[in-house]
Amino acid sequence: MTRRNDKRDILVATAAGLFWRRGFTVTSLAHIAAESGIPLGNIYYYFKTKAELARGVADIFVAETEDMLTSIVEADQDPRKRLLLLIEKLSHSLKSRVENGCPIALGIRDFRHESPEAAERAAEVFSLLIGFIGRELGRTGIRPSAALGTARNALAEWQGGIMLAHGLKDATVLAESFRRMERLLVPIRG
C-alpha cells in the first residue's frame, strides 16, 4: 500500500514534469491526476489548489539544489574543484534543458501570477547558486564584491545559454556556455 507521503511525492514530481514540459497555466489538476495515476478527487486531500502544488514543486527545486551543493562540498575542499564540479553537475541535464528550457526559470515566471509564494521559493535556487559560487570564489582570494559579480555573471551565462539553446534547439550552444562558465570561474593560471 502506498503511504500518504509517497502519493504526495508522486503528485509533486508529476506536476513538476508537466509544468516544465507543458507549462503551469495549461496543466490542470486533471492532467496531473491522469499522468500520476492518482484519482483527481484524491489530489485535493494533499493539495487544495494548483498554487499549493506549485509551492511543492518549488520546494523540490530548492531541496535538489541544496542536496547538490552539499554533495559538492563533501566531495572536495578545493574551491576551484568545487566550482568545476558544480559546472559538471549542471551540465548533466543539458539534453532536457535544450528540449524544455529551465524548469526553475519557467517556474519563477509561470508561478508568479497564481502563486507568488511559489515563485519566490523557486527563485531561492538562484540565490543558493550565486551564494555558493561567490563563497567559493572568495575562498580563492577574490574580494567579495568581485566574487558576487562573477557569480551573477556565471548564472546569467548558464541561464542565457539554456534559453538560446532551447530556442535554437542546439545543444552546442549550451555546451559552449558551460565552457565559458568554466573560464569565468576557474581561469587558467599562468
Side-chain angles (χ1 to χ4, degrees):
M1 177 166 200
T2 305
R3 291 186 347 250
R4 175 180 183 215
N5 287 341
D6 290 342
K7 284 185 180 180
R8 185 185 190 288
D9 293 346
I10 290 167
L11 288 168
V12 173
T14 302
L18 288 171
F19 292 167
W20 187 22
R21 292 186 315 273
R22 298 183 59 168
F24 177 73
T25 305
V26 299
T27 300
S28 68
L29 292 177
H31 293 126
I32 296 164
E35 179 107 357
S36 69
I38 296 172
L40 179 59
N42 290 8
I43 290 178
Y44 296 105
Y45 180 72
Y46 304 99
F47 301 98
K48 301 297 181 220
T49 65
K50 193 165 74 165
E52 285 182 17
L53 198 47
R55 174 59 193 247
V57 170
D59 287 341
I60 286 177
F61 294 159
V62 171
E64 287 179 350
T65 302
E66 289 172 337
D67 289 348
M68 176 185 66
L69 296 177
T70 297
S71 73
I72 291 169
V73 167
E74 291 172 351
D76 205 298
Q77 293 299 309
D78 182 276
R80 287 174 183 82
K81 289 181 181 174
R82 285 179 175 176
L83 292 168
L84 289 171
L85 190 52
L86 173 65
I87 294 167
E88 178 186 320
K89 287 184 178 285
L90 293 176
S91 71
H92 285 214
S93 59
L94 187 138
K95 183 179 179 200
S96 59
R97 297 294 197 265
V98 171
E99 290 174 9
N100 301 302
C102 178
I104 301 157
L106 292 170
I108 293 166
R109 183 199 66 200
D110 291 351
F111 300 161
R112 196 167 304 274
H113 182 68
E114 279 189 59
S115 184
E117 187 178 295
E120 288 177 23
R121 179 74 168 145
E124 288 178 34
V125 169
F126 293 151
S127 295
L128 287 168
L129 292 169
I130 290 168
F132 175 81
I133 294 167
R135 280 189 302 280
E136 294 306 316
L137 289 172
R139 291 181 61 226
T140 69
I142 296 174
R143 67 181 198 284
S145 61
L148 178 62
T150 302
R152 288 178 178 155
N153 286 339
L155 201 64
E157 176 67 50
W158 177 52
Q159 285 296 298
I162 292 171
M163 181 65 76
L164 191 57
H166 175 63
L168 297 174
K169 297 293 183 204
D170 185 353
T172 59
V173 173
L174 186 51
E176 291 165 356
S177 284
F178 286 123
R179 286 192 295 276
R180 283 190 296 274
M181 284 177 68
E182 188 173 325
R183 287 191 303 271
L184 178 67
L185 298 177
V186 191
I188 298 171
R189 299 212 174 245

